[in-house]
Amino acid sequence: PRPPRPAGKELPSRGSLSAARPARWVPQAGLAVCRGGEMAGRRRQSADTTGQTVLRFLLGGVAGTVAKTVTAPLDLTKIRFQVSQSPVSVRLVLEHVVTTARRSGVGALWQGNGAAAIRVFPYAAVQLATNDLLTARLLRYRQDAAALSGATGSAATLTALDRVVAGAGAGVVSVLATYPLDLVRARMAVQPSRPSPEAVKRGLAYSGPAQALLQIGRAEGIAGLFRGAPATVVGIIPYSATSFGVFSSLKASLRRRTGREPTTLERMGCGALAGLLGQTAGYPLDVVRRRQQTGYFLREAEGVSSSSVNDWHQRVQLPAAGSALRAGTASPHQGMLSTLRSIVAAEGWRALWKGVSINWFKGPIAVATSFAVFDALKQAAGLADGDQASRR
């Protein structure tokens, strides 16, 4: 018979026994599962709440818009040289900027920036926030793997490949989410700053981003809204992977060396170097993308008599306007590789790097501004970097 229970003592419940039981290794299908409660608790503590995630996206959009506005005149000039056969030099770039400002006013240097801002806000929001979220997810994976192997989970660190994968993933997602707006921005950059009503009516110019989207959809179909998208996706992988990977790695190196968070100036320096390398890595496909985006539009304009659009090329102020524009402009039906071949055949392989010198100046400024503003806004809002969130 079972001995009587001493008076005043209650049997422990099954839940309290489970809570008191020490963690142990449990083999399941050849894998050892350990410290499950510890890892789940760390995930709950490190993951953003829904509100924090939304805030991270909003701050990314603000940072990207600020950076785009700062560099808008250089971006406009770069696009115009990309879609023409004019050679690029510092003198010609300065002449083009001065001529544009003199003929149409200083505000013309920000032509199409409204469309760019509409695109850049969601683009930067998705890109910057997605990179943070992917980085945090990869770090948690590394920490869980370290815990399963018996090591200290908090000692796990991201590899260079992890940072590159997070950056590439963020770039692809952001491009696909906002591509039609990028197409509109490119076309509005190569149209007259004040298009005539007749040109807008005939589909040779756009009155604004919304009208442009509707006009392109009607004239070219849904596929027209994604003209040049394959080149963009392929090109964004080396750009985004390089820029985010270098920026994140440089910040991590500074933390290890100094034992503190990088200053704003240090973050801008890291961003400038990351932008320089990233812009160079994917530049030839950026030229292909711009030719595909504007090829249909510019060829339609060239087929119209100059009186209909009041001397199109003079009003749009393309570098070396006129016949020099035609040979290098992509056919509306060319794919990425055929566009690449046609540019090289007509203008030589150097044309694939046309405007890269502008990007070497613009890119570091844009990336440094975007990354530094995003980090500063996150610090002000109390949000951690992706590679720091899981260490809290």
Side-chain angles (χ1 to χ4, degrees):
R2 181 178 299 174
R5 184 171 71 252
K9 289 191 175 183
E10 296 294 332
L11 287 174
S13 65
R14 179 173 299 178
S16 64
L17 285 173
S18 300
R21 186 178 296 124
R24 61 190 180 87
W25 292 93
V26 181
Q28 288 186 352
L31 295 176
V33 180
C34 177
R35 303 168 186 155
E38 175 190 345
M39 290 188 293
R42 186 169 64 249
R43 288 193 193 99
R44 286 192 296 270
Q45 292 172 2
S46 63
D48 279 357
T49 65
T50 302
Q52 288 173 327
T53 300
V54 171
L55 180 59
R56 199 178 289 272
F57 275 84
L58 291 175
L59 297 182
V62 171
T65 303
V66 170
K68 194 67 175 178
T69 302
V70 168
T71 59
L74 289 172
D75 198 40
L76 178 76
T77 304
K78 182 200 71 172
I79 291 174
R80 289 180 171 178
F81 273 97
Q82 282 181 323
V83 301
S84 76
Q85 285 196 38
S86 172
V88 181
S89 68
V90 174
R91 181 182 62 82
L92 289 175
V93 168
L94 292 176
E95 282 182 0
H96 180 70
V97 171
V98 171
T99 301
T100 301
R102 185 177 298 159
R103 289 182 179 176
S104 305
V106 175
L109 295 173
W110 276 265
Q111 179 180 323
N113 192 56
I118 293 172
R119 177 191 74 87
V120 166
F121 188 93
Y123 174 85
V126 173
Q127 186 184 48
L128 293 170
T130 300
N131 178 73
D132 267 8
L133 297 175
L134 288 176
T135 300
R137 180 62 63 88
L138 287 169
L139 181 57
R140 287 198 296 272
Y141 169 79
R142 294 292 181 189
Q143 290 175 337
D144 290 351
L148 288 173
S149 66
T152 303
S154 60
T157 58
L158 289 171
T159 66
L161 181 60
D162 291 334
R163 300 179 191 277
V164 166
V165 168
V172 171
V173 171
S174 58
V175 161
L176 293 177
T178 62
Y179 187 80
L181 291 171
D182 183 50
L183 176 76
V184 169
R185 188 267 183 279
R187 293 197 177 183
M188 292 189 71
V190 297
Q191 73 174 24
S193 57
R194 289 185 291 272
S196 66
E198 182 185 355
V200 173
K201 183 178 179 180
R202 299 186 63 171
L204 304 176
Y206 308 119
S207 60
Q211 188 268 337
L213 288 171
L214 292 175
Q215 176 63 30
I216 294 169
R218 283 197 297 264
E220 305 170 49
I222 298 299
L225 293 171
F226 290 88
R227 196 180 302 279
T232 307
V233 171
V234 173
I236 198 65
I237 292 175
Y239 164 72
S240 191
T242 302
S243 57
F244 277 106
V246 170
F247 182 66
S248 182
S249 297
L250 289 175
K251 285 197 304 181
S253 177
L254 279 173
R255 290 191 187 104
R256 288 194 302 270
R257 291 173 178 273
T258 63
R260 59 169 173 78
E261 285 296 308
T263 65
T264 299
L265 188 60
E266 289 171 339
R267 291 173 188 272
M268 292 193 72
C270 294
L273 180 58
L276 180 64
L277 296 175
Q279 292 280 352
T280 305
Y283 193 81
L285 288 171
D286 188 51
V287 175
V288 171
R289 168 177 65 126
R290 292 305 188 192
R291 291 292 179 91
Q292 289 186 304
Q293 287 177 335
T294 60
Y296 179 92
F297 186 57
L298 292 174
R299 282 181 179 275
E300 288 293 302
E302 285 178 351
V304 179
S305 63
S306 60
S307 60
S308 298
V309 291
N310 190 21
D311 194 358
W312 176 274
H313 293 301
Q314 182 179 353
R315 297 185 68 216
V316 78
Q317 297 165 14
L318 281 170
S323 61
L325 180 67
R326 285 191 278 269
T329 302
S331 163
H333 304 294
Q334 281 184 313
M336 179 177 67
L337 294 179
S338 56
T339 300
L340 189 68
R341 286 193 295 267
S342 70
I343 293 172
V344 174
E347 305 167 57
W349 65 270
R350 291 179 182 274
L352 297 175
W353 299 95
K354 182 174 293 183
V356 71
S357 57
I358 303 175
N359 252 27
W360 285 340
F361 183 68
K362 177 191 81 78
I365 296 174
V367 175
T369 303
S370 178
F371 285 174
V373 170
F374 185 50
D375 280 0
L377 292 174
K378 285 190 297 183
Q379 285 183 343
L383 297 176
D385 284 348
D387 59 354
Q388 295 291 300
S390 293
R391 299 180 187 277
R392 290 179 179 178

